[in-house]
Amino acid sequence: MAKIKIELPSSFLFSTVIPIRITDINYGGHIGNDTVLSILHEARVQFLHHFGYQELNESGIGLIMKDVAIDFKKELFYGDRITVYVGTGEFSKASFDLYYKIAIEAAEKTSIIAVAKTGMVYYDYLNKKIAGIPEEMRSKLQI
């Protein structure tokens, strides 16, 4: 099986600290892979709010996730506090990619837990069709 290769951007626009809750732990005693996707969603919403945006605005135009790739590196456990870094790349007329680096600091050492990419499309939910990214949004989010 081919390994997923995610090329992270050289810099990130945003970071947030997220604690691992007991409900994030699976039967294996560590964080579930489904929870990592939920963490990406939380980081994305915080990232957008930081820049004054929402995933869905009042007129029905917003973002929809078209794809996701996650490369898991290490386990996480209850009580861990992670930092999620978010950056952008690959802008087109209607879409862009978000890149994530999930890291943890322990004993003055930073370890990468996972890296991920989500493809985001600007979408008209009312008319069920792709819409163009507003230029203001593009200029704020493009590195």
Side-chain angles (χ1 to χ4, degrees), residues 52-69:
Y53 300 110
Q54 301 176 52
E55 284 195 325
L56 184 64
N57 69 24
E58 301 77 38
S59 62
I61 307 293
L63 289 169
I64 191 167
M65 185 170 53
K66 69 176 176 130
D67 59 37
V68 62

Side-chain angles (χ1 to χ4, degrees), residues 26-47:
N26 67 15
Y27 57 86
H30 55 249
I31 191 171
N33 57 11
D34 56 327
T35 299
V36 173
L37 187 57
S38 293
I39 288 169
L40 298 181
H41 181 69
E42 177 65 30
R44 182 176 66 250
V45 169
Q46 288 187 30
F47 168 79

Side-chain angles (χ1 to χ4, degrees), residues 126-140:
L126 298 176
N127 294 306
K128 304 292 185 207
K129 65 181 187 174
I130 292 173
I133 300 171
E135 192 54 43
E136 174 196 324
M137 182 181 201
R138 178 191 305 276
S139 64
K140 277 187 182 180

Side-chain angles (χ1 to χ4, degrees), residues 117-129:
K117 179 193 89 62
T118 56
M120 305 302 298
V121 175
Y122 211 66
Y123 189 74
D124 181 340
Y125 281 87
L126 298 176
N127 294 306
K128 304 292 185 207
K129 65 181 187 174

Side-chain angles (χ1 to χ4, degrees), residues 84-142:
V84 183
Y85 300 87
V86 183
T88 61
E90 304 292 327
F91 278 79
S92 73
K93 181 181 176 199
S95 67
F96 62 95
D97 291 333
L98 285 177
Y99 293 90
Y100 310 83
K101 178 173 71 172
I102 301 173
I104 188 168
E105 288 195 31
E108 299 182 25
K109 179 184 173 200
T110 301
S111 297
I112 304 299
I113 302 302
V115 295
K117 179 193 89 62
T118 56
M120 305 302 298
V121 175
Y122 211 66
Y123 189 74
D124 181 340
Y125 281 87
L126 298 176
N127 294 306
K128 304 292 185 207
K129 65 181 187 174
I130 292 173
I133 300 171
E135 192 54 43
E136 174 196 324
M137 182 181 201
R138 178 191 305 276
S139 64
K140 277 187 182 180
L141 301 184
Q142 203 165 16

